[in-house]
Amino acid sequence: MALGTLVEPVADPRLSINVEKPDDQIQERSWGLTARVDPSVYFEEYQYWAAIEREEEHEANRQYIEERGPLTVGKLLKNRFSKGIHQERAEKAEKEKAEKEKVEREEPEKEKPEKENPEIAKAQSEVSGEGVIDKPSFGSSVSNEEWKTAARSLRTASWGTIFYLITADILGWSTCPYVFSQVGWGMGVGLYILFGIAAAASGWMIWKVFLALDSSRYPMQSFGDTYFRIFGPYWRHMINAFQAVQILMTVAVLVLANAQIIAQWNAHICFIVCMVIIMIIGIVLGSIRSLQRLGWLCNLCVWMNIVSFLIVIVACAKYPIDYSVVLNSTLIKTIEPAHTFAGPPPDAYQQSAYGTAATMSGVNNIVYSYGGALLFVAFLAEMRHPWDFWKGMLCAQSFICIVYIFFGAFVYGHLGQYSASNITQVIYPVSLQTAGNVFSFVTGLIACTLYFNIGMKVVYIEVFQEILHFPEITTTKGRWSWYALGPIYWIIAFVIAAAVPNLNGISSLVGGLMILNFTYTFPAFMYLGYRIRVDAKLEGEGFDPITRVTTRHDGGWQRWWRGFKVNWHLNTIYFLYGCGGLACSGMGCWSAIESLIALFGPGGTVATSFGCAQPV
């Protein structure tokens, strides 16, 4: 929306120039990442600018499709390494401008007036043919288009990229056979479908709120921004803290897991050295800032995952079971033919617990298997056309659900009660086991890099940029700050992975507190709050872009209750859905705490990974 200032025409511009703002001119605020948490901006203003943003994105997407033409393999490969349509257009315009200036310099200089009042000349140079100053000297020196280009410089990801990002983020197929061995055929298939639908519903809620409240003027960058705009700053800080801790723990766990794979390949390498190797690789891969650039790695990750579970499928169908892993690490101590069950198996065929506890262990794994919604806002924030997010999410969630059911049921049908959680380790021959470990290693590194990318952005924007006043991440100085701070993040993750005893168990507790809530609870209450705010609006209320004033006739609990009652039946469903997420979280925490009590109690261990011995 162009900012203009009218100039009243006069007889002699050298004698009198009267500059005044029109009555209908929109009052400008600051733009950018810092403006997104401006406490003077209200919910209605976020809605106003978001609606304009969506219209502009729709038009920009239409132009982009026209310019791009039919998709080819070459164009797809080129897009993987593209700087983004907004940045490319800006560079193209800059190049054309430079060429034009070069041509003008080569032309003979025209005669200049002998004397001219410099202030009048400046004013005249700014006045367009219709008496509008396009770039008033008293305003910002940056035009709207320049602001939009800067704000959208990282918004380059397509919905295809989102498919790979979500799949790389969520897909964790290795525990699926174990789940079936704990709950049986019927419950396994049913719960995978049920929680898959629930996870997709959570993604839909996040998507709807993002479209309604995000704009390049007030961009959303993390999950906490949604809660800030609906519930206020306190909830934003809480959500951001949860997100930062969860992602850091995830990176630390992946560092430890990948180091264990290296140690399995070569037992002569000191384990702490294996972890240092992973940390160095992570620092190198962590230099990638844009999710669009990271998309091709996630693409590779998806295909490697497919090859990995195909290796396991072939091995379990054609070769015998390596019983030693199951006998040494589970409650099963006898070798007999594989048995499968339609419902929960008898205690004699359970691996980790008996009765209800065993069933709940399997259910917990199903719930965890769809965890990953905490990254969805970050994915949306880097999309060129966020409206297309639903395509990538729906394809990803459907693909993930199909893989879980097919792989889990197939392997369980062949291995039965011996379907261990570390399924790659129970297959023969050793060559296939090694190949599976190689693919797991690479996909683990990619997942680690993805989580670092999002986690580091949250920390940089919320702490370094907002509190310590570091430069914006889209600037040149911001890029160098990213390169400097990235290694520190990896070092912290390395220290946590090495120093915390039984990191996997503690991470399960953190996951129960956070991953489940980010996937089910927080999206539900977020969308409930959003719907209440929208439905609570009275006639005559809203944001006036001319006066920059938001009008409300009431507030407090009265307003919230009125908004809830408008669609009370749907709002009740959202509320119960969120409560169900809390119940799953409590169940996951209980299971993790029971495991930690057993591990740290009598006969347990508090050994760390600092040393040459590989942790058990």
Side-chain angles (χ1 to χ4, degrees):
M1 191 174 294
L3 172 63
T5 302
L6 293 184
V7 179
E8 184 177 320
V10 294
D12 185 358
R14 291 180 178 272
L15 300 177
S16 174
I17 291 183
N18 181 21
V19 180
E20 60 180 14
K21 290 187 178 182
D23 294 335
D24 61 346
Q25 179 177 308
I26 292 180
Q27 302 295 314
E28 293 294 329
R29 290 181 184 267
S30 60
W31 284 34
L33 295 175
T34 54
R36 82 190 201 285
V37 290
D38 185 347
S40 66
V41 181
Y42 291 92
F43 180 84
E44 291 79 1
E45 185 171 353
Y46 290 126
Q47 283 186 299
Y48 176 85
W49 293 114
I52 294 176
E53 186 77 13
R54 301 290 85 83
E55 292 178 3
E56 293 179 348
E57 286 173 348
H58 181 73
E59 178 61 22
N61 186 62
R62 185 189 63 79
Q63 294 178 4
Y64 168 76
I65 293 174
E66 288 181 357
E67 293 175 7
R68 182 198 64 192
L71 274 177
T72 62
V73 175
K75 288 181 180 179
L76 285 174
L77 293 175
K78 182 181 178 181
N79 288 341
R80 286 295 169 200
F81 301 94
S82 168
K83 294 181 179 179
I85 185 64
H86 306 297
Q87 186 68 19
E88 289 178 353
R89 284 176 178 171
E91 291 178 355
K92 182 180 178 181
E94 189 68 25
K95 184 178 179 181
E96 291 176 353
K97 180 181 177 181
E99 291 177 353
K100 183 178 179 181
E101 291 176 351
K102 182 179 179 181
V103 172
E104 290 176 350
R105 284 196 301 268
E106 292 174 354
E107 293 179 355
E109 289 189 1
K110 297 181 179 180
E111 293 184 3
K112 297 181 181 180
E114 294 180 0
K115 289 184 180 181
E116 189 173 48
N117 188 319
E119 293 185 2
I120 295 177
K122 181 179 179 182
Q124 286 180 324
S125 67
E126 292 175 341
V127 178
S128 68
E130 298 179 355
V132 177
I133 293 182
D134 296 319
K135 294 181 181 179
S137 58
F138 51 79
S140 172
S141 61
V142 183
S143 69
N144 281 358
E145 290 304 319
E146 290 171 330
W147 261 115
K148 289 174 183 176
T149 299
R152 297 171 179 172
S153 59
L154 284 178
R155 298 194 173 200
T156 58
S158 64
W159 72 266
T161 300
I162 295 302
F163 165 78
Y164 291 113
L165 289 171
I166 293 177
T167 305
D169 169 29
I170 295 177
L171 185 61
W173 49 267
S174 61
T175 60
C176 295
Y178 168 77
V179 168
F180 277 89
S181 72
Q182 298 295 100
V183 301
W185 296 101
M187 189 179 293
V189 173
L191 289 178
Y192 269 123
I193 294 175
L194 176 63
F195 282 104
I197 294 173
S202 295
W204 178 84
M205 294 176 188
I206 295 170
W207 171 62
K208 294 292 287 185
V209 171
F210 184 91
L211 292 183
L213 300 179
D214 166 80
S215 64
S216 55
R217 179 181 292 269
Y218 303 120
M220 283 188 178
Q221 292 295 315
S222 66
F223 209 108
D225 290 349
T226 62
Y227 268 70
F228 171 78
R229 299 179 188 200
I230 296 172
F231 298 110
Y234 170 80
W235 291 96
R236 167 179 167 254
H237 295 315
M238 184 193 74
I239 294 292
N240 283 336
F242 280 5
Q243 185 176 12
V245 171
Q246 175 57 56
I247 292 177
L248 181 61
M249 290 295 292
T250 302
V251 173
V253 169
L254 290 170
V255 168
L256 182 64
N258 285 326
Q260 288 175 328
I261 293 176
I262 294 179
Q264 287 178 356
W265 292 341
N266 192 334
H268 300 293
I269 301 178
C270 187
F271 187 74
I272 196 69
V273 174
C274 297
M275 297 182 68
V276 171
I277 292 172
I278 300 300
M279 181 186 69
I280 293 173
I281 295 174
I283 290 173
V284 174
L285 293 177
S287 62
I288 303 174
R289 288 185 308 151
S290 170
L291 289 180
Q292 173 72 4
R293 298 291 181 85
L294 199 57
W296 69 271
L297 278 177
C298 293
N299 188 332
L300 179 65
C301 179
V302 171
W303 291 107
M304 282 191 167
N305 269 306
I306 292 174
V307 173
S308 295
F309 70 70
L310 287 177
I311 288 175
V312 176
I313 285 174
V314 170
C316 71
K318 294 189 63 176
Y319 300 99
I321 305 170
D322 184 357
Y323 294 101
S324 61
V325 174
V326 179
L327 298 179
N328 292 331
S329 61
T330 71
L331 297 174
I332 297 176
K333 302 300 179 184
T334 59
I335 298 176
E336 56 183 273
H339 293 279
T340 60
F341 302 89
D347 288 348
Y349 299 97
Q350 294 286 3
Q351 295 185 34
S352 58
Y354 300 122
T356 304
T359 303
M360 297 311 295
S361 174
V363 174
N364 280 341
N365 276 275
I366 296 176
V367 175
Y368 280 120
S369 63
Y370 289 103
L374 79 165
L375 303 186
F376 282 7
V377 174
F379 293 163
L380 279 159
E382 298 200 23
M383 285 195 71
R384 174 178 50 80
H385 191 221
W387 194 90
D388 287 339
F389 175 81
W390 71 270
K391 302 176 185 177
M393 184 200 67
L394 184 61
C395 291
Q397 296 285 17
S398 301
F399 173 77
I400 290 167
C401 183
I402 292 171
V403 167
Y404 284 165
I405 293 174
F406 172 76
F407 176 75
F410 185 93
V411 175
Y412 177 58
H414 285 82
L415 303 187
Q417 70 272 28
Y418 300 105
S419 302
S421 57
N422 51 344
I423 193 66
T424 309
Q425 307 307 316
V426 301
I427 62 173
Y428 272 132
V430 176
S431 58
L432 288 180
Q433 189 178 118
T434 302
N437 285 334
V438 170
F439 285 117
S440 297
F441 175 76
V442 176
T443 55
L445 280 178
I446 295 173
C448 202
T449 305
L450 174 62
Y451 274 92
F452 159 78
N453 185 282
I454 303 299
M456 184 62 198
K457 283 175 182 173
V458 171
V459 173
Y460 186 90
I461 293 172
E462 305 298 339
V463 178
F464 289 97
Q465 185 173 313
E466 183 176 340
I467 299 176
L468 302 179
H469 306 294
F470 272 54
E472 290 193 5
I473 198 172
T474 55
T475 63
T476 301
K477 291 182 178 179
R479 182 171 69 250
W480 286 107
S481 298
W482 171 277
Y483 295 150
L485 294 171
I488 298 175
Y489 190 99
W490 282 101
I491 291 171
I492 294 173
F494 161 77
V495 171
I496 292 174
V500 176
N502 189 34
L503 179 63
N504 286 308
I506 294 175
S507 180
S508 295
L509 176 60
V510 176
L513 284 171
M514 299 178 189
I515 285 183
L516 295 182
N517 287 320
F518 273 112
T519 304
Y520 305 105
T521 310
F522 294 156
F525 290 134
M526 172 196 69
Y527 192 70
L528 174 62
Y530 164 73
R531 289 308 318 169
I532 289 175
R533 280 196 172 275
V534 171
D535 293 336
K537 183 178 179 180
L538 296 172
E539 186 177 353
E541 293 185 339
F543 170 70
D544 186 344
I546 299 175
T547 61
R548 208 174 66 184
V549 172
T550 297
T551 302
R552 291 180 184 170
H553 298 325
D554 62 358
W557 287 106
Q558 176 186 357
R559 187 177 184 86
W560 285 93
W561 179 241
R562 183 178 69 249
F564 181 87
K565 290 189 297 182
V566 172
N567 288 296
W568 64 268
H569 48 296
L570 291 177
N571 291 333
T572 301
I573 293 174
Y574 302 144
F575 178 76
L576 293 176
Y577 178 80
C579 291
L582 286 175
C584 289
S585 175
M587 184 174 63
C589 291
W590 168 75
S591 176
I593 291 171
E594 289 294 323
S595 298
L596 288 174
I597 291 173
L599 289 166
F600 289 135
T605 178
V606 291
T608 67
S609 299
F610 275 122
C612 283
Q614 181 178 351
V616 180

